[in-house]
Amino acid sequence: MFNNLLVTGGCGFIGANFIRHMLYDSDFKGRIINVDKLTYAGNPENLTGVAEEFDKRYLFFRADICDAQAMAKIFDDCRIDSVCHFAAESHVDRSIAAPDAFIQTNIFGTWQLLEQARLRMDQMVLFHHVSTDEVYGSLGETGLFTEHTRYDPSSPYSASKASADHLVSAYFRTYGLPVTISNCSNNYGPYQFPEKLIPLMILNAITGDPLPVYGRGTNVRDWLHVTDHCRAIREIMLGGRRGQTYNVGGNSEKTNMEVVTRICKIMDDSLPALEDRKPRTDLITYVADRPGHDLRYAMDFSRLREEMGWEPVETFETGLEKTIQWYMDNHKWVDRVKSGQYRQWIKSHYGSLTGRA
Ligand code: NAD
Ligand code: DAU
């Protein structure tokens, strides 16, 4: 059904896990065309081995989704019939410091892809947009986000994603473009760039560096292992009702302090002790809070469960143990990300981005 699936942002954390999931762990038989601009968050080493193993079924283009000409050429040359759209600026703190790229990629870039799809409506089977629970804003102590919760984004990041969601829905209502949207909670797992809470804490706990906790660490996130998110996206793409939104969550609410102390405990048990035999929780350092910091996210994903039978497989405990092990086992990936060597490799292979695929 999807013969030529365009995956945008496939060199990022979730996109790379999704491409691996589709090619290695699913019955998908079509071709994946990965388009990624390779920003600081895009790392071709997240897909090491894939091009060699799937040479006829995997193609990569370095390109910017905002570039209409480059996108039109890829849609035509590769006969794109479906899109799974991950490409975005994804880090809340960066959106607070410098919102421009968020507006450009997340809003304008999404619109650009929608236009390419609309212009080829007769060949489009599906446009799936990968979005976030942050569009709903913040919960108080109780309650869950449902698909009917009013959008109320707090950060430039979440506002840009909310805007993109509205454009995707508008293209369904106005033009009949077949779309689905998934709004997912916080992901963790292999290949996550270490600016996000879990990989940052793991890598700092390995080296004995400070573990910066915003405010008092009482904010709550609902954690989902990335492989469960990838399965959910595939289910929605295959069985989701067109024009619908599906919440995806982990049933796994934790305060940030619970997450950080759990990481410290696992690492104290499995790594040599720090100097003076201090527990790693001694590395916790309270720092200034994030402006507009949402207190709590929690997802009601009963629509996805009832319509598609999807449930998370990993618990937070099993998923976190596996994730910590992955970062400890993959020294080369970690070293090249931390030292910026993956950027030098990109420069030597691709030069600076011209926007052409
Ligand atoms: P990421 O930052 O790890 O990866 C983003 C990828 O998009 C990178 O490879 C980057 O190079 C690429 N990209 C950025 N701008 C681009 C452009 N203009 N053109 C082409 N490629 C571009 O992000 P992630 O954590 O993998 O998130 C992927 C998607 O999932 C995002 O849309 C994000 O909003 C959404 N999401 C993330 C989470 C999470 O917890 N990480 C949860 C819910 C939803
Ligand atoms: O909820 C889904 C969202 O999850 C995605 O849409 C975003 O793309 C993704 O980045 C993530 O956003 P968060 O802001 O929730 O993730 P982050 O890892 O940045 O922060 C998680 C929590 O940890 C948050 O409450 C802020 C806190 N934090 C984060 C960092 C990086 C700290 O206390 N210290 C830190 O150093």
Side-chain angles (χ1 to χ4, degrees), residues 63-129:
D64 187 335
I65 57 165
C66 302
D67 182 334
Q69 254 185 306
M71 290 308 108
K73 184 161 165 43
I74 290 168
F75 268 77
D76 287 339
D77 289 356
C78 301
R79 301 185 312 281
I80 298 300
D81 54 31
S82 42
V83 178
C84 187
H85 176 35
F86 293 91
E89 289 292 337
S90 69
H91 192 42
V92 173
D93 296 326
R94 286 181 190 257
S95 83
I96 295 167
D100 328 26
F102 288 74
I103 307 305
Q104 185 66 13
T105 289
N106 300 3
I107 305 178
F108 183 80
T110 300
W111 170 73
Q112 190 50 252
L113 290 170
L114 286 165
E115 272 295 278
Q116 298 303 333
R118 180 178 76 83
L119 293 170
R120 295 160 184 82
M121 189 80 93
D122 49 342
Q123 71 196 44
M124 287 307 297
V125 180
L126 179 67
F127 186 110
H128 179 74
H129 183 229

Side-chain angles (χ1 to χ4, degrees), residues 27-278:
D27 54 6
F28 172 70
K29 298 276 184 299
R31 216 164 45 134
I32 288 185
I33 297 94
N34 175 12
V35 167
D36 198 300
K37 181 178 173 180
L38 300 181
T39 67
Y40 78 96
N43 182 353
E45 294 173 30
N46 294 351
L47 289 166
T48 298
V50 170
E52 292 73 21
E53 193 153 343
F54 295 94
D55 64 332
K56 299 228 162 38
R57 293 183 50 216
Y58 173 77
L59 271 175
F60 173 66
F61 295 98
R62 186 187 193 191
D64 187 335
I65 57 165
C66 302
D67 182 334
Q69 254 185 306
M71 290 308 108
K73 184 161 165 43
I74 290 168
F75 268 77
D76 287 339
D77 289 356
C78 301
R79 301 185 312 281
I80 298 300
D81 54 31
S82 42
V83 178
C84 187
H85 176 35
F86 293 91
E89 289 292 337
S90 69
H91 192 42
V92 173
D93 296 326
R94 286 181 190 257
S95 83
I96 295 167
D100 328 26
F102 288 74
I103 307 305
Q104 185 66 13
T105 289
N106 300 3
I107 305 178
F108 183 80
T110 300
W111 170 73
Q112 190 50 252
L113 290 170
L114 286 165
E115 272 295 278
Q116 298 303 333
R118 180 178 76 83
L119 293 170
R120 295 160 184 82
M121 189 80 93
D122 49 342
Q123 71 196 44
M124 287 307 297
V125 180
L126 179 67
F127 186 110
H128 179 74
H129 183 229
V130 181
S131 190
T132 171
D133 57 359
E134 298 198 9
V135 298
Y136 299 123
S138 184
L139 289 165
E141 304 284 319
T142 57
L144 300 171
F145 294 132
T146 74
E147 288 86 355
H148 300 293
T149 304
R150 190 173 68 88
Y151 274 30
D152 186 20
S154 303
S155 69
Y157 163 70
S158 51
S160 69
K161 293 295 289 188
S163 176
D165 286 5
H166 288 318
L167 282 167
V168 174
S169 297
Y171 269 61
F172 172 73
R173 286 196 210 162
T174 307
Y175 304 111
L177 186 71
V179 308
T180 44
I181 300 176
S182 49
N183 292 88
C184 187
S185 62
N186 285 62
N187 283 213
Y188 66 100
Y191 305 108
Q192 188 167 27
F193 191 78
E195 63 185 353
K196 308 282 165 64
L197 182 73
I198 288 186
L200 178 72
M201 296 297 156
I202 295 172
L203 297 192
N204 285 10
I206 292 175
T207 49
D209 285 308
L211 307 178
V213 169
Y214 299 166
R216 299 308 299 164
T218 48
N219 302 67
V220 173
R221 298 292 182 264
D222 173 13
W223 293 96
L224 180 71
H225 193 271
V226 65
T227 53
D228 281 323
H229 186 192
C230 293
R231 279 195 308 108
I233 293 171
R234 180 167 55 88
E235 296 287 344
I236 295 165
M237 291 182 72
L238 289 172
R241 283 175 290 141
R242 286 3 187 187
Q244 277 298 349
T245 281
Y246 291 87
N247 279 358
V248 188
N251 254 347
S252 200
E253 286 183 57
K254 306 278 173 228
T255 65
N256 293 337
M257 276 304 280
E258 284 172 321
V259 171
V260 177
T261 51
R262 178 95 202 125
I263 292 171
C264 290
K265 167 89 178 74
I266 296 172
M267 301 194 69
D268 281 343
D269 291 345
S270 57
L271 281 179
L274 294 175
E275 258 175 59
D276 307 332
R277 309 198 64 75
K278 284 188 304 194

